[in-house]
Amino acid sequence: MNSVLENKIDQAVVLVYALKDSSLSVSFGEIESELETRVDFFLSQYDSEQAFEQASGFSINELKSKYRESIKNDLVVQKFQSRLFLGANIVKDEVFSFYDNFKDSLPLSLE
């Protein structure tokens, strides 16, 4: 449970930094396209749109309204992260070298 909270905090911090980057923008079209993709995925899990609406308690428009801001934030963060790591090119030898140099300070497992 603690890692879930830490993950949410990490996501919020990255979002704050991404929103400060005035050169990043997400268009209405990008948001709508992602919304359609996600709605199509949800609908594919049910026999019909009506079955989905009955099970979820939301109409498609309500679902889109509910998640539009979240999707916008997700897209901003994706663009921010892409920009940060655009030039990153890590090769296998560098990974092994890093491990050899810092293995004493690395955790034994990911928690």
Side-chain angles (χ1 to χ4, degrees):
M1 177 95 149
N2 195 21
S3 64
V4 172
L5 178 59
E6 289 173 356
N7 189 29
K8 285 291 190 186
I9 292 169
D10 290 345
Q11 289 174 351
V13 169
V14 171
L15 178 60
V16 167
Y17 279 99
L19 292 172
K20 285 183 179 181
D21 187 341
S22 61
S23 67
L24 290 175
S25 65
V26 177
S27 71
F28 179 78
E30 290 172 301
I31 297 167
E32 290 302 306
S33 176
E34 185 64 23
L35 268 171
E36 287 299 322
T37 299
R38 292 187 190 189
V39 166
D40 288 345
F41 171 77
F42 291 138
L43 290 177
S44 73
Q45 308 300 308
Y46 295 88
D47 294 332
S48 67
E49 187 174 317
Q50 291 76 21
F52 167 78
E53 290 177 352
Q54 186 176 16
S56 70
F58 295 106
S59 71
I60 298 302
N61 287 334
E62 289 170 331
L63 184 71
K64 287 181 179 181
S65 293
K66 179 179 172 92
Y67 289 104
R68 188 170 274 112
E69 188 67 24
S70 175
I71 287 174
K72 176 186 173 203
N73 290 341
D74 289 349
L75 292 172
V76 167
V77 167
Q78 285 174 11
K79 284 186 175 190
F80 181 71
Q81 290 174 329
S82 292
R83 182 174 292 161
L84 284 177
F85 300 113
L86 183 65
N89 186 18
I90 301 170
V91 294
K92 188 176 182 179
D93 291 339
E94 290 174 326
V95 173
F96 286 122
S97 175
F98 178 87
Y99 176 78
D100 288 339
N101 290 328
F102 297 100
K103 63 183 165 192
D104 293 340
S105 60
L106 296 173
L108 295 176
S109 66
L110 298 175
E111 296 179 12

